[in-house]
């Protein structure tokens, strides 16, 4: 998959293409429906498929300080999109100047002059241009002038988690924040992932016999509610069952909120300075303060046992 950072990166000889535009944070199941249709349409027409997204999130430029929690960083989104068959990803720098483009100017500058859109695939609530004044009706209206067609993909209503509302990043973020990572996984189509670099912490886990990878996450990362979770730690391409702790470690009166993952039954791992991924499978318990060290150790041993059972069951089911 080709990756372009800005309109100037698009090859000069780029021909017609099928385009879909959106933030696509998380590349959740609703996004997958839209992107998948764009890929299928491109193949029908014999042209490449292009996803257009923005950096930073438009809300941070339009309303500074309102940046939403991020479900997936750009590299992860690109990986997921490539898996769906996307041919090119265009990340447009979203600046104050860019935000002032009228819907008509956006269509001409991006879809017509640069990407030579043959078709545009969007969800029903797609908005674009200055003050989000453009919608799918306007997009379709100008399609007659600029020779592209528009398809609207309805987002399928989902299951019980979230009350059966359509797939959305907003709902996925809320469920993650509440610790309902199984509900979030229903939207995402996979366990929620947090990425970052392993840094040195207080090393209390090592002292207790459960050395953890203390993951320093990027700003705005969507981190689950405080608690203990079952999941996986992936480092150097290896995916390891893990017991994961999120919170401030109330047992030792810590104040910094951390994400720490213990790779079950792995001895001698040296992950400092490495970029790792933590996938959250299931909520195990909330944070608690124990009256004794023995009580804490007993709880940790039970957390590890439950995490092992849950991850084994998940892998077996798949």
């Amino acid at each position: 998959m080709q990756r372009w950072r800005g309109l100037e990166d698009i090859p000069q000889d780029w021909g017609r293409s099928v385009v879909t535009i959106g933030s696509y944070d998380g590349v959740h199941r609703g996004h997958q429906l839209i992107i998948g249709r764009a890929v299928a349409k491109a193949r029908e027409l014999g042209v490449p498929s292009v996803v257009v997204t923005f950096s930073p999130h438009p809300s941070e430029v339009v309303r500074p300080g309102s940046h939403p929690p991020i479900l997936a960083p750009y590299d992860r989104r690109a990986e997921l999109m490539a898996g769906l068959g996307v041919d090119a990803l265009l990340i447009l720098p979203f600046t104050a100047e860019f935000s002032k483009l009228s819907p008509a100017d956006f269509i001409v500058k991006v879809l017509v002059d640069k990407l030579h859109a043959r078709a545009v695939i969007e969800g029903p609530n797609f908005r674009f241009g200055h003050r989000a004044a453009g919608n799918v009706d306007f997009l379709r209206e100008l399609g007659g002038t600029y020779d592209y067609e528009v398809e609207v993909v309805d987002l399928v209503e989902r299951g019980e988690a979230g009350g059966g509302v359509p797939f959305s990043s907003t709902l996925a973020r809320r469920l993650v924040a509440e610790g309902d990572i199984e509900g979030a996984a229903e939207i995402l189509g996979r366990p929620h992932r947090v990425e970052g670099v392993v840094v040195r912490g207080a090393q209390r886990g090592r002292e207790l016999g459960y050395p953890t990878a203390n993951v320093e996450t990027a700003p705005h990362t969507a981190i689950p509610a405080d608690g203990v979770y079952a999941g996986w730690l992936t480092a150097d391409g290896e995916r390891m069952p893990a017991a994961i702790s999120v919170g401030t470690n109330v047992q030792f009166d810590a104040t910094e909120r951390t994400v720490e993952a213990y790779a079950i039954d792995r001895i001698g791992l040296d992950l400092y300075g490495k970029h790792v991924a933590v996938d959250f499978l299931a909520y195990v318990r909330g944070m608690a303060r124990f009256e004794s060290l023995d009580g804490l150790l007993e709880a940790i041993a039970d957390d590890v046992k439950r995490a092992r059972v849950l991850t084994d069951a998940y892998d077996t089911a798949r």
Side-chain angles (χ1 to χ4, degrees):
M1 184 180 73
Q2 297 186 53
R3 281 209 245 179
W4 306 321
R5 183 79 183 196
L7 295 174
E8 63 281 358
D9 279 358
I10 301 172
Q12 292 293 322
D13 59 352
W14 188 255
R16 304 301 297 271
S17 60
V18 173
V19 183
T20 183
I21 307 161
S23 292
Y24 288 130
D25 181 22
V27 193
H28 59 61
R29 289 169 63 189
H31 295 154
Q32 292 167 31
L33 290 172
I34 299 171
I35 295 170
R37 178 54 195 151
V39 169
K41 183 70 173 179
R43 288 174 179 166
E44 290 171 14
L45 297 174
V47 299
S49 57
V50 182
V51 173
V52 179
T53 191
F54 309 96
S55 177
H57 194 284
S59 67
E60 182 64 16
V61 175
V62 177
R63 296 178 300 278
S66 67
H67 199 302
I70 298 170
L71 293 167
Y74 287 99
D75 284 348
R76 176 63 168 159
R77 294 181 214 180
E79 176 187 352
L80 293 167
M81 290 175 185
L84 294 172
V86 173
D87 294 301
L89 171 63
L90 169 61
I91 302 175
L92 289 176
F94 198 89
T95 62
E97 180 181 2
F98 187 86
S99 73
K100 295 174 183 176
L101 279 180
S102 69
D105 285 343
F106 179 93
I107 288 173
V108 172
K109 290 179 181 295
V110 178
L111 293 177
V112 179
D113 290 348
K114 288 295 185 177
L115 295 176
H116 311 295
R118 175 67 182 81
V120 183
I121 315 296
E122 295 297 340
N125 298 321
F126 175 62
R127 311 287 302 202
F128 65 101
H130 186 52
R131 299 185 182 276
N135 56 22
V136 291
D137 290 334
F138 183 75
L139 188 65
R140 185 177 284 116
E141 179 184 334
L142 267 65
T145 302
Y146 294 111
D147 188 30
Y148 63 79
E149 58 181 294
V150 175
E151 283 192 26
V152 176
V153 178
D154 287 326
L155 303 187
V156 176
E157 290 194 353
R158 47 186 303 280
E160 294 181 4
V165 301
F167 297 108
S168 77
S169 298
T170 299
L171 180 55
R173 293 185 191 108
R174 178 172 68 79
L175 293 174
V176 168
E178 293 172 353
D180 183 1
I181 54 169
E182 292 172 274
E186 185 183 349
I187 301 173
L188 296 171
R190 62 186 181 279
H192 175 59
R193 171 174 289 189
V194 167
E195 300 184 31
V197 175
V198 177
V199 298
R200 293 188 182 277
Q203 299 194 5
R204 293 191 184 96
R206 185 174 302 276
E207 294 169 0
L208 296 172
Y210 296 93
T212 60
N214 186 355
V215 183
E216 184 176 64
T217 58
H220 308 301
T221 296
I223 297 175
D226 289 3
V228 177
Y229 298 84
W232 296 271
L233 172 66
T234 299
D236 294 329
E238 183 180 4
R239 180 172 172 267
M240 300 165 278
I244 307 156
S245 172
V246 178
T248 57
N249 199 335
V250 295
Q251 187 73 26
F252 298 98
D253 297 318
T255 57
E256 181 182 0
R257 193 164 186 256
T258 61
V259 176
E260 299 182 57
Y262 166 65
I264 297 173
D265 298 333
R266 293 302 303 269
I267 299 173
L269 282 176
D270 183 5
L271 301 178
Y272 291 121
K274 293 186 178 181
H275 186 274
V276 301
V278 178
D279 292 301
F280 292 81
L281 173 63
Y283 179 84
V284 172
R285 66 171 174 87
M287 282 298 196
R289 182 191 294 272
F290 298 90
E291 294 184 0
S292 67
L293 181 59
D294 286 343
L296 172 61
L297 289 171
E298 183 179 339
I300 294 174
D302 186 60
D303 295 337
V304 171
K305 179 180 178 180
R306 292 178 65 185
R308 182 187 290 111
V309 169
L310 288 165
T311 52
D312 284 352
Y314 181 88
D315 285 338
T316 300
R318 294 174 67 86

